[in-house]
Structure formats: structure tokens, C-alpha cells
Amino acid sequence: MVAEGMGDEQWRERLGRDEYRVLREGGTEAPWTGEYVNEKRRGVYRCRACGSELFASDTKFDSHCGWPSFWTPMAGDRVRLLEDDSLGMKRTEVRCANCDSHLGHVFYGEGWDNPDDARFCINSISLTLEPAPGE
């Protein structure tokens, strides 16, 4: 796992251009282009930047929004939630708690059938999937 506190130059060397734009600059990949939008294999989704375990595949669901959606992180302390009003609307940004990389946003109150009525809308490029054995 990558230690917290890496400098900007180290991140640029470690990540590809698009990965850097999303993970370190808070960008967003285009909808329906990410490798995990339609992924069905079981496993653990990790932060692409540092390798921290973030989401279990059994919390992934089809929200038809163009990005992978999860109803909860693996544990509450795996992610940080920050208020984001950068586009003139109130949203909640999701960041990796270990390396502070941008992952996506979480939305509540949309009517999803999960315990918190939550949709963690996460960029595929922010994640890597570690498939379960046999997947």
C-alpha cells in the first residue's frame, strides 16, 4: 500500500495521465466508458492509487447512471466524505481515506432499495478489482 503524503511529482510518475486527472485533480471519466460499469465478477474493489480495499462486489448494483455504483464502502473509515459545491450544486465527494484520492460522489434519497438509500457513484479509473478466487 502506498503511504499517505506522496508529492505531486511522485503521483504523476505512478499514475497515467487520465488516472492522475481523476484521482488527484478530482476529474470524472465519461459515463459508460469505465471498465467496471458492467462488471459482475465477485471480489474487492481497491483504490487504484494506493491499493486500499474500498468496496466489496456484493454492495455493487446496477444504477444505470454510467459509473459503477455501490451502496456502501467496506467500512465507514475506508472513505472520506466531503461537501462539494464545485458545479453549483450540493454534492458529497468520496475520497480514499488512505491517500486522499478522488473516487467519485455519493447520493442519498434517490429511492434505492438498500439500507441507507445510497448510491456511491465511483469512477472505474479510480478502482482496481481483485477478483474472488475462481472468478
Side-chain angles (χ1 to χ4, degrees):
M1 197 172 332
V2 174
E4 187 177 342
M6 281 179 53
D8 187 57
E9 188 173 315
Q10 292 170 300
W11 282 119
R12 286 185 187 278
E13 290 174 9
R14 180 177 178 81
L15 302 171
R17 186 191 72 206
D18 291 337
E19 293 169 339
Y20 184 87
R21 183 182 61 78
V22 173
L23 288 157
R24 304 311 302 169
E25 295 179 332
T28 301
E29 66 190 355
W32 305 109
T33 62
E35 66 182 306
Y36 299 126
V37 174
N38 297 310
E39 181 62 62
K40 302 294 184 204
R41 290 178 292 171
R42 293 178 308 114
V44 173
Y45 289 88
R46 295 176 172 271
C47 176
R48 188 174 300 254
C50 73
S52 289
E53 293 182 340
L54 300 172
F55 299 96
S57 62
D58 61 356
T59 66
K60 188 174 187 287
F61 68 100
D62 291 325
S63 68
H64 308 288
C65 70
W67 293 273
S69 297
F70 304 86
W71 57 269
T72 190
M74 290 183 72
D77 62 351
R78 304 289 173 107
V79 299
R80 287 188 331 119
L81 303 179
L82 304 168
E83 186 175 311
D84 176 5
D85 59 2
S86 62
L87 296 179
M89 66 179 99
K90 190 169 188 160
R91 302 183 298 170
T92 303
E93 181 183 12
V94 180
R95 290 186 164 264
C96 175
N98 183 61
C99 70
D100 201 39
S101 287
H102 173 76
L103 303 171
H105 290 84
V106 61
F107 303 93
Y108 299 99
E110 297 177 322
W112 298 108
D113 186 20
N114 63 56
D116 295 322
D117 188 10
R119 175 173 57 98
F120 283 77
C121 185
I122 307 298
N123 292 287
S124 287
I125 202 166
S126 297
L127 303 170
T128 58
L129 173 61
E130 180 182 315
E135 289 292 311

